[in-house]
Amino acid sequence: MAIPHSIDTPDILVDVDILDRNIARMAASVRSRGLALRPHAKTHKIPEIAARQIAAGAAGLTVATVGEAEVFAAGGVDNHFIAYPLWASAGKAERLRLLAEKATVTVGVDSAAGATRLGTALGAAAGTVSVLVEIDSGHHRSGTLPQEAAAVAQAAAAAGLQVAGVFTFPGHSYAPGMPAAAAAQEQSALAAAAATLAAAGFDAATLSGGSTPTALLTDGSVATEVRPGVYVFGDAQQLELDRCALTDIALTVAATVVSHHRTEPGSPVRFIIDAGSKILGSDRPAWASGFGRLMDHLDARIIALSEHHATVEWYGPDPLPALGDRLRIIPNHVCLAINLVDDVAVVSGGNLVDRWKVAARGRNK
């Protein structure tokens, strides 16, 4: 795809045809396995994309913050899961209460203290908010052990909250060779936590899992829903993990070659593009091949980032790009890139067809 002439660089491009295909394919795959789809909207933060996901059959949205939920609720989405163990201040509790007046709201909890705090802060409105107990299935970030889920659920119920089930995030799936193992560990942890809740008298109706690397590997034998986010766009991490193909990449950064870097004879040729960490993001897992990939030149490597510069080492048979040539870059972690811009260019068939505001950008609390 050519970069539209009207686009100045650097800019984020979203190919709406690939986006729509990704949305439809995930929805169909999840539906065929008897699961609900609750996509994580922190990836895109764009109401127009959320509307497409809901239209394709999503049960609601996953978000990371109350602020994100508020933005999407204002855009018409009426079912939200805040997949985060909120420590409820008075201000957050009041915003949750108002949100629950116009939408179904579920919040993550992973400790008895957090659940008690949430219920106490909500007061008389506690019964309008449901909770899912977060379980650690191997990522070792937030989340309680499966066998400790009942204690958290009991505290939540005592605080007046509705206990809807459990959830987990298999974040350790974001590593080579790990998606299948992480998916299996996710199912095992959810099953163990559900049994613990059942023994304590709770009906764990929702068993929520899934990340983009594991969503297509999760069956309906234990989990009832999955929450992938990155699948709408794809990124260099998913590409290098073989969890998407190059033809699935819907989001790229348009960049211009601005400088040729002199190197010693025999060293790889280098050049500079005008897309640095302030639009690509700076994530680089230890296993990644660089700070992103060039969409049409996969042999190249982005070896360094400054705020407004990216250094590219050029390999392969293609001629070195000239000053002024425009290239498309696949960010390593698309969730970071989208949060760095106010809006995105929507393209179809190489033509600019719209611009969408990143409406939930900066809604970090």
Side-chain angles (χ1 to χ4, degrees):
M1 183 191 78
I3 299 169
H5 294 299
S6 57
I7 295 294
D8 206 353
T9 65
D11 200 359
I12 286 184
L13 312 181
V14 173
D15 187 314
V16 69
D17 302 310
I18 298 175
L19 173 81
D20 285 342
R21 189 176 71 223
N22 290 346
I23 289 172
R25 182 175 56 198
M26 181 63 77
S29 175
V30 170
R31 186 166 50 246
S32 73
R33 286 172 279 137
L35 295 162
L37 176 63
R38 185 178 293 276
H40 210 315
K42 76 175 177 65
T43 293
H44 57 75
K45 300 179 183 289
I46 295 173
E48 288 86 348
I49 296 178
R52 282 170 149 78
Q53 292 173 313
I54 297 297
L61 294 181
T62 303
V63 295
T65 68
V66 179
E68 288 180 351
E70 290 168 333
V71 168
F72 290 112
V77 179
D78 63 2
N79 194 304
H80 305 270
F81 171 40
I82 303 171
Y84 195 87
L86 295 178
W87 188 256
S89 64
K92 278 193 175 71
E94 176 61 12
R95 291 163 62 204
L96 280 173
R97 184 187 67 75
L98 293 173
L99 186 63
E101 290 179 354
K102 54 186 176 183
T104 299
V105 179
T106 307
V107 178
V109 293
D110 76 345
S111 68
T116 300
R117 172 84 176 203
L118 178 62
T120 301
L122 285 167
T128 66
V129 173
S130 298
V131 297
L132 294 181
V133 179
E134 184 176 11
I135 304 303
D136 179 7
S137 59
H139 186 40
H140 306 321
R141 190 175 63 182
S142 53
T144 191
L145 296 175
Q147 60 268 30
E148 295 173 356
V152 179
Q154 287 164 343
L161 300 161
Q162 302 179 57
V163 178
V166 298
F167 81 103
T168 191
F169 173 59
H172 53 309
S173 62
Y174 284 79
M178 283 303 298
Q185 291 163 5
E186 168 192 79
Q187 294 281 74
S188 176
L190 289 175
T196 300
L197 288 190
F202 291 96
D203 177 17
T206 299
L207 303 176
S208 181
S211 60
T212 292
T214 61
L216 295 177
L217 302 172
T218 303
D219 61 38
S221 60
V222 177
T224 63
E225 72 173 23
V226 289
R227 310 182 317 277
V230 175
Y231 78 95
V232 292
F233 294 142
D235 61 16
Q237 288 186 121
Q238 300 304 317
L239 189 66
E240 294 195 0
L241 289 172
D242 292 325
R243 303 314 303 163
C244 75
L246 195 63
T247 52
D248 301 326
I249 299 295
L251 183 149
T252 53
V253 174
T256 299
V257 179
V258 296
S259 178
H260 283 165
H261 177 71
R262 293 184 179 275
T263 57
E264 296 296 326
S267 299
V269 178
R270 295 175 181 172
F271 60 86
I272 307 299
I273 55 177
D274 62 354
S277 64
K278 285 190 172 178
I279 193 164
L280 290 176
S282 55
D283 262 17
R284 183 185 179 182
W287 48 266
S289 64
F291 290 96
R293 302 296 294 271
L294 273 63
M295 181 75 175
D296 302 306
H297 306 280
L298 293 181
D299 288 334
R301 292 292 180 267
I302 301 176
I303 62 167
L305 288 184
S306 303
E307 292 180 52
H308 298 282
H309 304 69
T311 302
V312 181
E313 281 191 344
W314 190 250
Y315 300 92
D318 296 331
L320 180 71
L323 295 178
D325 281 358
R326 285 146 59 100
L327 307 170
R328 291 183 296 153
I329 315 303
I330 310 169
N332 270 344
H333 187 179
V334 74
C335 303
L336 296 187
I338 203 77
N339 196 47
L340 293 169
V341 297
D342 294 325
D343 57 19
V344 299
V346 184
V347 298
S348 176
N351 298 310
L352 178 65
V353 297
D354 204 352
R355 293 200 75 93
W356 289 340
K357 181 180 179 182
V358 185
R361 181 191 181 198
R363 298 301 297 267
N364 295 322
K365 60 184 177 181

